[in-house]
Amino acid sequence: MVKIIEESISQKKKAGQVTFEGDKVSISLNYSLCTNCGLCINNCPHKVLIWQDRTFKGNNKIDIVQISDLSKCSACGRCQEICKLRAIVIK
């Protein structure tokens, strides 16, 4: 099973945005902009981005983009470049 969020990563939630902070890189995912197209997941060479299903009101499940292991991220920027809506920001 994939470890979704490492202990060294802190999440900051604000206005639909979650920031995953690691030692060398931070990735912000803005869920209010994300359309779940999957381009970021398909273009990540290190498989840092994955699908995770979430259950919402009424037992409706949708897949959302999530970070699997931030320590694998090389900060190449492919996910940020491919996202036309700028829902991902790498720092």
Side-chain angles (χ1 to χ4, degrees):
M1 186 172 172
V2 176
K3 190 173 184 182
I4 300 300
I5 299 173
E6 294 183 336
E7 295 161 5
S8 65
I9 300 170
S10 66
Q11 289 190 37
K12 297 176 183 174
K13 296 182 180 182
K14 109 180 174 185
Q17 182 169 314
V18 178
T19 299
F20 300 87
E21 296 178 349
D23 294 333
K24 298 178 182 178
V25 65
S26 71
I27 300 176
S28 294
L29 300 175
N30 189 329
Y31 292 108
S32 61
L33 295 176
C34 180
T35 62
N36 293 324
C37 69
L39 288 173
C40 58
I41 292 172
N42 295 333
N43 285 280
C44 179
H46 304 291
K47 306 301 179 206
V48 174
L49 299 167
I50 60 168
W51 288 116
Q52 181 183 16
D53 63 283
R54 296 284 172 112
T55 303
F56 294 94
K57 220 175 204 179
N59 292 325
N60 294 325
K61 288 187 179 183
I62 66 164
D63 290 336
I64 63 168
V65 177
Q66 186 63 272
I67 305 296
S68 66
D69 185 350
L70 192 54
S71 67
K72 293 180 183 177
C73 182
S74 68
C76 69
R78 289 185 188 173
C79 59
Q80 181 174 297
E81 290 171 9
I82 200 78
C83 183
K84 295 174 183 161
L85 297 174
R86 304 287 181 224
I88 299 178
V89 177
I90 297 178
K91 295 180 184 175

